[in-house]
Amino acid sequence: MSEHTQGNVTSVPSSEFSSMEFREVDHFYEPDFDKIDEDFVQKLWNGQRFFNANLLSIAGKEIRVLKLGVWNREEGPDFMHAEIEIDGKLCVGDVEIHVKSSEWYAHKHHLNSRYNRVVLHVVLFNDDFNLRTRLQNGKRIPTLELLKWIDAPIGDLFDETAQAEEDASNFCRITGKQLNIDSIKSVFESLGQERFLEKADAVRLLRTRLNFEQILYEGIMEALGYSQNRKPLRELAQRVPFAEFDHKTEHEIQAILFGVAGLLPSQLEKTLPSEETDNPFIVALETLWETSDYTKRVDRMMTSQWRFGRIRPMNYPTRRIAAISQLITNSKGSLMMYFLPSCEMAANADTSIMLQKIRKQLLELLMLEPVGYWETHSNFGKGGTNKAKLIGSDRALDIIVNKILPVAYIWAVESESRKLQDAILSLYSDYTKMQDNTIIRQVGIQVFSETQPMRLIKPTAKIQQGIIRLYKNYCADQLCDLCPIIQNNAVLSTEKSV
């Protein structure tokens, strides 16, 4: 079969998929799950790329989509405030999207009360015998398999999705216009403040069921995973709570995390050479795992959940697990008390130089040096690290801005310390710029130009967060009429330079 690659998916000529538009029940077809990701399925739903007539759930319930819902790009269900008619009954709630139906249980959504408002589980492919999806409260909801109802061959949809992303900047009304640099900087700073407070509100919501230690632990784990391993690392943190590590050594922590993750050499399909499996470090990990309570208490994760392809060896999930193990050991039982003292110092910092020292101190707490086996290994039996830090400066800054400071802010709120709240906001406001990502680069293309490059606004981490908020809340949904840049007169009406 001939094929060509588009982004993270493989596009196959439409003629070879024509018979799959309406797949018969007894016709077995399984997509290539290494090529199809959840984001692609979300785009199918958001673009309503399915025949919304005579829809049936995998259990035979009649489904009619009245409102798709609002695409949620933060934590929680993928689409919120949807309206779905199920067997003639109107159901208002959320929609959760997966590639495979089994991922509902693999991701532990059936144990998470946050998903109790989900009224429909939408998947590309049904790989499970469960006809209905169970919520944490015991209620069951229908599952809709999109593969039977999509309105075009999958190969064409891959191509259209990639082209839509490439052409996104064509819709921007600001492109090519002259900007008021001071005004647009103010807009991004304001949006950056809003994004920070949104993250803090998310922490406040989590506080209804989790303590600060678990919230910080899950958040750091998620941030360590980048986009490819964000979800499995967070799931691992939920399967093995922070409280379980009390009085455990770094090697014991690694053994439990690797074992539950299903990443120990003995758990892999491909056997490593004996010179690797006989390494004293690996032998010790395997022994600690076999003698731990977790071998029987918790089902291990599937190896297929982890992504190693197209990732730099320094960022492999194995090294990230080694990093969190070392961080937990360094924290001596409390991640909050590991980071909070530095944040509290900011409350008494009366100069920018003192705040700069505190920011550097926070970074140093996270930039961990590899020890022993992980000095020279990116995965079990694989090198390629050159003694690189387990957590580099870019990732450390991202964790501080997106995870540690919002948690510390809610700590200050609950402590009723206005001074500490202001100090944390000051730390956040002047952090140096983070690593660019695809969203920041996209907005840079849309909004700025060669004569007025982005560097004129002197981007900080806060401004970058504002850029991300602009894209996610306005650009992604093409809400151009509500664009804060236009609303705040940051576009000049004349052709004169600012």
Side-chain angles (χ1 to χ4, degrees):
M1 179 181 293
S2 62
E3 58 181 41
H4 62 281
T5 299
Q6 288 285 343
N8 294 326
V9 294
T10 300
S11 177
V12 183
S14 59
S15 60
E16 300 184 22
F17 280 99
S18 58
S19 62
M20 297 176 187
E21 289 185 34
F22 290 91
R23 179 168 58 85
E24 296 296 332
V25 174
D26 61 350
H27 178 78
F28 183 79
Y29 166 68
E30 182 170 319
D32 185 347
F33 297 120
D34 288 331
K35 304 296 183 183
I36 298 173
D37 59 16
E38 190 172 298
D39 182 67
F40 172 70
V41 187
Q42 290 172 348
K43 288 171 182 173
L44 293 186
W45 178 261
N46 191 58
Q48 202 163 340
R49 298 309 308 267
F50 54 89
F51 296 104
N52 191 11
N54 303 317
L55 290 173
L56 294 175
S57 73
I58 61 176
K61 287 185 172 290
E62 295 181 1
I63 304 291
R64 190 159 70 99
V65 181
L66 304 179
K67 289 186 178 180
L68 297 164
V70 179
W71 198 343
N72 173 33
R73 301 174 188 275
E74 304 296 335
E75 298 176 4
D78 296 308
F79 288 83
M80 308 182 78
H81 315 300
E83 295 183 10
I84 312 293
E85 192 177 277
I86 302 173
D87 274 350
K89 180 182 177 181
L90 176 62
C91 297
V92 179
D94 302 334
V95 173
E96 177 67 5
I97 309 287
H98 287 119
V99 178
K100 299 179 287 186
S101 56
S102 60
E103 290 174 341
W104 177 274
Y105 294 98
H107 296 171
K108 299 295 182 181
H109 293 333
H110 64 297
L111 302 178
N112 191 339
S113 60
R114 175 176 289 185
Y115 292 84
N116 281 344
R117 291 191 70 256
V118 175
V119 297
L120 182 66
H121 183 207
V122 175
V123 302
L124 180 66
F125 178 73
N126 174 36
D127 69 334
D128 202 2
F129 63 86
N130 293 294
L131 297 182
R132 301 181 76 190
T133 303
R134 180 168 59 83
L135 305 179
Q136 182 268 343
N137 60 14
K139 182 179 177 182
R140 291 187 177 273
I141 59 170
T143 298
L144 176 66
E145 183 184 32
L146 277 186
L147 188 62
K148 291 182 179 180
W149 314 100
I150 55 176
D151 63 4
I154 286 183
D156 291 350
L157 292 173
F158 286 159
D159 291 341
E160 289 177 23
T161 299
Q163 188 62 44
E165 291 177 351
E166 184 177 330
D167 295 342
S169 62
N170 294 339
F171 294 101
C172 184
R173 298 181 185 177
I174 301 166
T175 302
K177 300 294 179 62
Q178 203 72 11
L179 306 172
N180 182 318
I181 295 299
D182 289 337
S183 295
I184 202 168
K185 180 177 181 179
S186 178
V187 167
F188 285 136
E189 286 180 337
S190 178
L191 289 170
Q193 185 88 340
E194 291 174 14
R195 182 167 167 81
F196 179 87
L197 295 176
E198 270 189 352
K199 290 180 181 293
D201 281 339
V203 173
R204 194 200 305 264
L205 180 62
L206 289 173
R207 283 286 293 135
T208 61
R209 59 185 179 87
L210 298 175
N211 61 33
F212 279 109
E213 300 293 349
Q214 185 66 21
I215 292 171
L216 196 51
Y217 166 52
E218 288 185 18
I220 293 174
M221 282 282 264
E222 182 180 55
L224 285 173
Y226 287 88
S227 58
Q228 297 94 331
N229 290 295
R230 176 174 59 88
K231 286 190 174 182
L233 276 173
R234 188 178 189 91
E235 180 183 333
L236 180 59
Q238 293 169 342
R239 285 176 180 251
V240 190
F242 183 80
E244 296 287 328
F245 300 127
D246 195 27
H247 302 302
K248 286 185 170 58
T249 67
E250 184 176 344
H251 280 181
E252 288 173 323
I253 295 169
Q254 283 194 52
I256 291 171
L257 289 176
F258 281 126
V260 174
L263 291 175
L264 283 171
S266 61
Q267 297 168 323
L268 304 178
E269 292 183 5
K270 186 177 180 180
T271 305
L272 294 180
S274 58
E275 58 266 25
E276 287 293 336
T277 55
D278 291 341
N279 184 294
F281 173 75
I282 293 179
V283 171
L285 282 186
E286 298 280 10
T287 302
L288 288 169
W289 167 246
E290 288 300 325
T291 56
S292 76
D293 293 339
Y294 270 89
T295 54
K296 297 178 180 178
R297 282 173 51 197
V298 179
D299 292 334
R300 72 177 180 86
M301 296 171 65
M302 297 180 292
T303 306
S304 60
Q305 290 179 244
W306 301 99
R307 294 287 179 267
F308 287 85
R310 299 184 181 181
I311 299 176
R312 296 172 63 203
M314 282 79 77
N315 300 331
Y316 279 174
T318 39
R319 278 178 61 84
R320 295 315 196 189
I321 290 172
I324 195 67
S325 301
Q326 185 176 326
L327 185 62
I328 291 168
T329 303
N330 291 351
S331 73
K332 298 180 180 179
S334 175
L335 286 171
M336 280 302 297
M337 291 304 105
Y338 186 67
F339 295 108
L340 193 62
S342 296
C343 296
E344 290 178 329
M345 286 171 57
N348 297 314
D350 53 7
T351 66
S352 59
I353 293 177
M354 290 181 66
L355 286 174
Q356 186 176 353
K357 288 181 179 179
I358 294 168
R359 294 188 193 98
K360 183 180 179 182
Q361 183 174 319
L362 281 169
L363 281 171
E364 290 173 348
L365 290 174
L366 278 165
M367 293 171 63
L368 306 174
E369 298 286 348
V371 178
Y373 188 83
W374 300 110
E375 285 187 86
T376 54
H377 289 80
S378 57
N379 193 4
F380 293 108
K382 185 177 178 63
T385 63
N386 297 319
K387 296 186 178 181
K389 293 182 185 295
L390 290 175
I391 302 178
S393 58
D394 290 333
R395 185 63 1 189
L397 179 56
D398 182 87
I399 292 171
I400 292 168
V401 170
N402 289 298
K403 303 300 179 182
I404 294 173
L405 293 184
V407 172
Y409 184 82
I410 294 303
W411 172 286
V413 170
E414 292 190 13
S415 302
E416 298 183 351
S417 173
R418 185 70 224 182
K419 187 176 182 181
L420 181 55
Q421 292 174 49
D422 292 340
I424 291 169
L425 289 175
S426 294
L427 278 174
Y428 168 70
S429 295
D430 292 325
Y431 252 116
T432 182
K433 71 187 291 282
M434 301 186 295
Q435 193 174 28
D436 282 350
N437 57 30
T438 54
I439 290 178
I440 293 173
R441 287 191 290 270
Q442 177 64 45
V443 173
I445 293 170
Q446 290 179 202
V447 174
F448 297 93
S449 65
E450 290 185 5
T451 57
Q452 289 186 299
M454 186 184 291
R455 67 172 181 271
L456 292 180
I457 63 173
K458 299 178 181 178
T460 61
K462 182 179 181 179
I463 286 175
Q464 288 177 309
Q465 291 292 295
I467 291 172
I468 293 171
R469 179 171 171 79
L470 174 80
Y471 182 85
K472 289 189 173 184
N473 288 53
Y474 301 94
C475 303
D477 295 318
Q478 297 177 24
L479 300 176
C480 304
D481 291 338
L482 302 177
C483 177
I485 295 176
I486 297 174
Q487 296 287 332
N488 288 275
N489 300 316
V491 179
L492 296 176
S493 57
T494 68
E495 295 298 321
K496 293 181 180 180
S497 301
V498 293

